[in-house]
Every structure is written in structure tokens, then in C-alpha cells.
Amino acid sequence: MFVISNAAQLIYVGPGKFSRRGSEMGRLDVIQDGAIVVSDGVIHWVGRTSDLPPIPPDTEIIDARGKVVLPGFIDSHTHLVFAGSREDEFEQRLKGRTYEEIAAGGGGINATVQQVRRASKEELKAATRRRLQRLLSFGVTTVEIKSGYGLTLADELKCLQVIAELNQEGPWELVPTFLGAHAVPPEFQGNREGYLRLVVDEMLPEVGRGRLAEFCDVFCERGAFTPEESERILKRAYELGMKAKVHADEFSSSGGAELAARWRAVSADHLLCITDAGIAALARSDTVPTLLPGTAFFLGLNYAPARRLIEAGLPVALASDCNPGTCPSENLTLIGTLACTQMKMLPAEVVTALTLNAAAALDRSQRLGSIEVGKQADLIVCDVPDYRQLFYHFGVSHVWRVIKRGRVVYTA
Ligand SMILES: [Zn+2]
């Protein structure tokens, strides 16, 4: 058992909902001079420090005077398992080439695919562990990770095994997603059907057999996979017991949001080019729109219409999209600042989007994402007296302690 006391602000986000939608996103629940009692890795009591119940004399106490306590951040969209880096493409883009032109010339995703295929499982694991440690230093306690840089049966399994082993290792909690439909690899150029068959008939059944992925994601996009191809893949994934995610409407209005809603995907991600019809389809569904403003920032694109999504009553989540091509950063609070300055989200909405709604984007909001009695004790203590400073004083980490499953796992 331990106690956190005297918190200048205890941002508990909750209470007890699947997600917070629309105008509810901005209504953060805050306790001044807050305290939490944690026991057996679970939140046992939440309230004001002056109302703390009697606690045994030898209980460990974390004094959070002058600090803010929040639920651990959740990064619901990353591509952390990769090898190498792509600073050469970064420079080419600065000279005016677009992401799609670079991809058509053999760069982009396929450049990383070549490096991942050459890397051993141990090399990938070491590189991914370093990225997870950086995420932890920014207060991220749960991380979704996609495969999708292997694109052969053996290399996709290798990446998913890296995720499974790092999840065992902890202290983070990882959520594995199979993204075989990330790109058509070079050996299948001119034979899309051949690659689709490989994904549907060989990769997905093998991933299902090994229980290596909770979600199946598809890159539904001009130059990647069409809505019809995406549906074929999601259908097979459902049959094998996986839940769906969709990379939707990133570079063009590809019908990805509508597809996600139709297939009851847990989340539809990116949405830079979402149409009014796409917003309406999401508003009629339980699919969580997940925005990744770090990618728009890094590529110099227009941002997703966060305000319109919130006004449509949707439960917006935010994530990093950490990947070597379009957003090489583990700084999730910087993503929050971009959401504020570029998409006009308010700091309270950003906190909801990085906690409870991000948990909903991973189908985990029953257990994670808010500070409520009975929920898992995933908490961060930040060395600022007001939560808005997390995004206002930008580019650095304000995290002072990270607690995962009731244990302090990171100290600044
Ligand atoms: Zn992505």
C-alpha cells in the first residue's frame, strides 16, 4: 500500500465512463489538495488530503505538494518496432519532395522494411526498449505498437514477438497490433493480389494462432490499400478474433472513416482529410477518432479538424504515431502542445484525449485512463502546479514520478 498526498491538482478525469465525448472532453474533474490510496496495484481511495482515511503507520507516502497528479498517459498509435532512421528523407522533404513521391521512389515505409528484415530480433528489441524508456520519461504507461515493417510472414512474426517479449519485461503495458497491410512490399509490385493473399491466408491465421495481436490495422489510403482490400483483411481478422483499427483519410479522402465505422473499428486514426460524411459516420458509431498531429507537423500538412470532431460529439483521442518516417518523436506532451496550438484543442480536452479516450481507443477504458476506485493504479506526478503548464511550457518533460500497476517505475 502507498499514499500520494497534498497534490496541488489531482486530475481524475473520470468518473466511470467508456469515454468522454464532445463538450464533456473539456470538463476535467479536478481535486485541489488531492490524495490517492493505492493497494495491490489498484486505486483504493481518491479524495482530499484532509479526508484521508486512517492508514497504517509504516505506509509509504509520496508528497505531491505543488505538483499535479494525472492518470498515466496512453499512446494508442505507434510503430515503435523498427530499425534504422530516415533523416535523408527528412532532408529531401525540406527540399520540396512529398512523402508520396519519396515512397514511390523506393523510400518511405519500404526503406524501413529493408532494415527491419536485416535486423535480428534482439537488435529490434534493444532499439524498441530504448524508445519505450523515452516514452516512460514522458509519462506514457501504456503503448500500442504495430507491426508492419516486416511484410513477410517471418518478419511480421519477428516484430510481434519483440512486442510480446517487451510486454513481459515491463514495466510498461503494450498492446500489439498486426499491420501487415501497411504497404505492398517491393517483391509484390505488380502482384497486389499475391500480397493480399499472403496477408489473408498466411499471415493473419498464423498471428491468430500465436495470439500475437489484439488488433488488426489497415493502411486504407491512395497508394496503399483500397477500402475493398481493407475490408477483405478486416473480415478475416474478425473471424480470427482480432479487433479492428484503421489508418484513415491521412493523405486523401479515401473513405477510411466510413469504413472504420461500418466495420465497428475500435479507432479510426489520422483523419486529416476526413469528409463531412466521414464525421457523420463516426458520430453514429463507437469508433474513437484518434488524431496524430505530430505527423502533420513533421510533414508540413494541414491538421485534422479536431474542433469539428468535438463539436460533432465525438470522443477524440490523441497519439504520437511514433515512427521513423513521419513522426520520429516519443514526446507525447509535445503532441499535446501541437493539439492546442494547431488544432485549437484546450488543455483539458488534451488531457482527456491522452488518458480516458486513449484508453477507449485501445478498448481498455474499463481498467485504465482515469483515477477512479477500482481502476489500475497507473499514475504520473508532474512537477508543475497547474496541468495546463504541461502543454504551455513545451518541449520538455515535467514528469517527476511514474507509477505503473501501483509501483514507482520512473523517477526524474
Ligand atoms: Zn500510423
Side-chain angles (χ1 to χ4, degrees):
M1 177 186 268
F2 76 86
V3 170
I4 300 177
S5 64
N6 300 317
Q9 293 179 333
L10 195 164
I11 314 285
Y12 67 94
V13 184
K17 287 185 177 170
F18 166 75
S19 62
R20 291 206 139 186
R21 305 178 73 103
S23 58
E24 285 185 329
M25 284 183 65
R27 272 187 240 123
L28 268 191
D29 290 312
V30 180
I31 301 174
Q32 316 279 339
D33 194 27
I36 304 173
V37 179
V38 171
S39 111
D40 295 325
V42 172
I43 297 165
H44 200 68
W45 183 91
V46 183
R48 291 178 69 91
T49 303
S50 53
D51 298 332
L52 262 173
I55 44 171
D58 56 345
T59 304
E60 184 194 344
I61 294 177
I62 296 176
D63 186 354
R65 203 173 301 262
K67 300 182 174 65
V68 174
V69 179
L70 304 113
F73 289 140
I74 295 171
D75 195 347
S76 67
H77 182 137
T78 82
H79 303 257
L80 280 198
V81 183
F82 64 85
S85 57
R86 290 175 15 210
E87 60 277 8
D88 50 336
E89 291 178 16
F90 173 56
E91 194 168 68
Q92 285 178 45
R93 279 203 307 276
L94 299 178
K95 291 178 183 164
R97 290 187 76 197
T98 68
Y99 176 81
E100 286 170 299
E101 283 166 5
I102 291 168
I109 291 167
N110 276 323
T112 298
V113 167
Q114 302 312 322
Q115 306 214 54
V116 166
R117 288 178 180 176
R118 280 195 296 269
S120 70
K121 192 173 84 178
E122 288 311 312
E123 287 166 339
L124 283 170
K125 210 163 132 183
T128 306
R129 187 187 293 112
R130 280 197 299 278
R131 295 171 197 134
L132 285 167
Q133 282 162 344
R134 268 184 228 117
L135 276 167
L136 198 65
S137 76
F138 286 102
V140 181
T141 51
T142 301
V143 186
E144 186 259 13
I145 308 182
K146 301 172 199 301
S147 69
Y149 290 122
L151 308 186
T152 64
L153 175 62
D155 290 305
E156 284 295 298
L157 294 177
K158 177 174 74 178
C159 292
L160 290 168
Q161 275 152 4
V162 165
I163 301 169
E165 288 175 21
L166 287 169
N167 187 38
Q168 279 294 315
E169 192 179 298
W172 37 69
E173 180 170 340
L174 306 183
V175 180
T177 296
F178 170 67
L179 180 58
H182 197 194
V184 175
E187 64 274 17
F188 282 94
Q189 287 309 326
N191 181 18
R192 297 181 67 77
E193 181 56 27
Y195 186 64
L196 280 163
R197 284 212 192 119
L198 177 65
V199 171
V200 170
D201 297 338
E202 292 180 48
M203 289 186 187
L204 273 169
E206 200 58 34
V207 170
R209 226 183 329 272
R211 295 185 180 283
L212 286 167
E214 181 174 335
F215 291 93
C216 175
D217 196 343
V218 285
F219 194 9
C220 179
E221 185 62 59
R222 184 177 74 198
F225 296 87
T226 66
E228 294 71 32
E229 291 167 344
S230 301
E231 286 192 339
R232 246 173 94 184
I233 293 162
L234 293 182
K235 180 169 181 289
R236 188 78 186 105
Y238 269 118
E239 289 164 3
L240 292 160
M242 286 171 236
K243 292 172 274 190
K245 285 180 164 284
V246 179
H247 276 68
D249 302 321
E250 180 176 5
F251 300 111
S252 61
S253 303
S254 52
E258 291 90 329
L259 173 92
R262 195 159 60 244
W263 281 86
R264 296 168 197 254
V266 176
S267 72
D269 302 33
H270 282 294
L271 307 177
L272 275 63
C273 301
I274 189 170
T275 61
D276 288 342
I279 294 176
L282 289 184
R284 288 190 300 269
S285 76
D286 285 327
T287 302
V288 176
T290 300
L291 309 184
L292 315 164
T295 307
F297 170 74
F298 197 65
L299 295 180
L301 301 173
N302 291 324
Y303 289 80
R307 290 254 57 95
R308 279 168 53 215
L309 293 166
I310 293 171
E311 279 155 23
L314 284 159
V316 171
L318 287 163
S320 73
D321 196 22
C322 185
N323 78 81
T326 61
C327 192
S329 175
E330 297 92 345
N331 188 339
L332 198 61
T333 34
L334 177 61
I335 301 297
T337 298
L338 294 173
C340 293
T341 61
Q342 307 302 306
M343 303 195 299
K344 306 295 178 231
M345 286 176 70
L346 300 174
E349 293 169 334
V350 170
V351 168
T352 304
L354 291 174
T355 55
L356 189 63
N357 287 2
L362 295 178
D363 196 16
R364 276 165 170 67
S365 52
Q366 298 300 317
R367 181 165 59 84
L368 305 177
S370 60
I371 301 177
E372 269 183 85
V373 171
K375 277 200 171 179
Q376 186 167 298
D378 290 8
L379 306 164
I380 54 178
V381 186
C382 298
D383 195 8
V384 287
D386 185 309
Y387 74 93
R388 292 172 297 185
Q389 286 193 21
L390 292 173
F391 313 110
Y392 154 81
H393 181 174
F394 72 93
V396 297
S397 178
H398 298 285
V399 172
W400 179 71
R401 295 283 186 280
V402 177
I403 293 142
K404 181 68 184 175
R405 297 184 181 96
R407 225 163 44 80
V408 175
V409 295
Y410 173 84
T411 300

